[in-house]
Amino acid sequence: MLKNPKFQAFFFAFLAAIFNAFVGIFSVFLFRKGFMSFEVAFYKCFVASLILFAILIYMRKLGALLVFIKQKIFTLLLLAFFGFFMLYHFESAAYTSISVANVVFVLFGVGMIIAFICEALDAKRFFHLNELLAMVFTLLGLWMIFLAEGGTLENFTHLKGLINAILAGLGYALFLFFTRKLKLGFGLIPLCALLFIGSLYLSIPLFGANLNLNFSLESFILILALAFLPTIGGFYCTTRALSFAKSNSVQLIELSEPLFAMLFGFLFLAQSISFLQILGGVFILFAIFIH
């Protein structure tokens, strides 16, 4: 059973969901310490790349890293844009205006729909019935979450947060699809290369901004936690899961993340969940069982 590809895909995608659920928690704590969303996105990616860079030097694989970057540069540029700039930049921005659970629900709900569309286009076929039903229930869930977060265009703060979460979901779905399609592979070398190029993308919003350089011990620990758990751990497990299953299947399994995000948001941030939010989450999660 442990060597079964389906089981391994489920195991690594489920583990990635647990790791990634900590993104919002640690990010909100850093926002409270005066960090901007684009700073958090950059710092966690840059620190994670430095950690992996140091590990590869210790393992004497720096030459292999440079060769890999040279061979896969265009693939890395594409994947880093979707998986790190779009995901991290817009996800971090979304956490500033809507709750952690809602960001995750919208991000993964949109991501699942985009993943289904990409897989159907790649296979040159129409959607299967279970895929259509899954997307319908996902859209219903997203609509309920939208209503719970304001529900009108007049509430621009909530609307902006929802748009940011949607863009993050779009980036993540395209990252999953193209990672498998372009056969990037998994391991420390591909991940380090992605993180390094992703850091370059995420550094662009820093130009001309007044950076928060007041690093306390607590903020440094939070950035390290973001680097180790969701950034290194989450992306490693996701790319590993993609070596066993298609992007829409991995995306669907990782929809379990909202459950953990909701739990962690309640435990660590005292974020309450309304009935509409819960109902919207139930509809999105029900899409998993339909598929």
Side-chain angles (χ1 to χ4, degrees):
M1 182 178 179
L2 294 177
K3 294 183 179 181
N4 186 302
K6 291 184 178 180
F7 174 79
Q8 293 191 61
F10 175 83
F11 173 77
F12 283 110
F14 189 72
L15 199 58
I18 296 174
F19 289 152
N20 291 333
F22 284 101
V23 172
I25 307 301
F26 296 144
S27 296
V28 170
F29 280 129
L30 285 169
F31 297 155
R32 292 175 179 176
K33 292 187 172 297
F35 287 86
M36 301 296 289
S37 62
F38 56 84
E39 291 178 306
V40 173
F42 169 75
Y43 286 140
K44 67 182 181 182
C45 191
F46 181 64
V47 170
S49 67
L50 289 180
I51 292 170
L52 290 183
F53 189 71
I55 293 174
L56 291 175
I57 290 177
Y58 176 77
M59 297 172 65
R60 298 180 180 179
K61 291 186 176 182
L62 181 59
L65 173 64
L66 296 176
V67 170
F68 181 81
I69 292 175
K70 183 178 179 180
Q71 292 176 341
K72 299 278 190 176
I73 184 61
F74 294 110
T75 299
L76 290 168
L77 287 170
L78 179 71
L79 295 179
F81 176 78
F82 289 133
F84 289 88
F85 178 74
M86 282 194 69
L87 173 62
Y88 281 176
H89 179 77
F90 292 112
E91 180 187 21
S92 296
Y95 287 128
T96 63
S97 54
I98 59 178
S99 70
V100 171
N102 281 350
V103 172
V104 176
F105 274 126
V106 174
L107 191 160
F108 278 89
V110 169
M112 187 191 72
I113 293 173
I114 299 300
F116 279 138
I117 293 173
C118 287
E119 292 291 349
L121 289 174
D122 185 54
K124 297 179 181 178
R125 61 169 174 81
F126 192 66
F127 302 113
H128 298 310
L129 178 61
N130 61 336
E131 292 175 334
L132 283 172
L133 289 173
M135 286 189 287
V136 168
F137 278 100
T138 299
L139 288 171
L140 285 173
L142 292 177
W143 177 248
M144 290 177 186
I145 291 172
F146 174 70
L147 292 176
E149 285 291 345
T152 67
L153 300 182
E154 297 174 1
N155 195 330
F156 183 72
T157 303
H158 287 165
L159 178 63
K160 186 177 180 180
L162 287 169
I163 291 173
N164 283 327
I166 289 170
L167 289 173
L170 172 64
Y172 193 48
L174 292 175
F175 169 80
L176 292 177
F177 175 75
F178 284 114
T179 295
R180 182 172 176 83
K181 180 71 174 177
L182 300 177
K183 299 178 180 179
L184 181 70
F186 63 91
L188 297 183
I189 290 177
L191 185 55
C192 183
L194 279 172
L195 285 167
F196 173 71
I197 296 175
S199 298
L200 296 180
Y201 280 128
L202 291 167
S203 68
I204 296 174
L206 301 180
F207 293 106
N210 295 319
L211 301 182
N212 185 352
L213 300 176
N214 184 24
F215 286 95
S216 64
L217 178 61
E218 187 177 351
S219 62
F220 184 69
I221 291 173
L222 286 169
I223 290 173
L224 280 179
L226 273 172
F228 273 110
L229 282 178
T231 308
I232 295 176
F235 267 91
Y236 174 82
C237 290
T238 294
T239 54
R240 188 69 192 273
L242 287 169
S243 67
F244 298 109
K246 292 183 178 180
S247 60
N248 59 344
S249 298
V250 173
Q251 180 78 72
L252 206 59
I253 297 168
E254 290 192 6
L255 266 173
S256 58
E257 180 182 330
L259 295 175
F260 299 107
M262 187 184 298
L263 176 63
F264 296 157
F266 174 76
L267 292 176
F268 301 113
L269 301 174
Q271 292 183 340
S272 59
I273 305 295
S274 70
F275 175 75
L276 266 181
Q277 290 168 321
I278 294 174
L279 193 59
V282 168
F283 271 99
I284 292 175
L285 292 175
F286 185 61
I288 299 176
F289 297 100
I290 292 177
H291 182 67

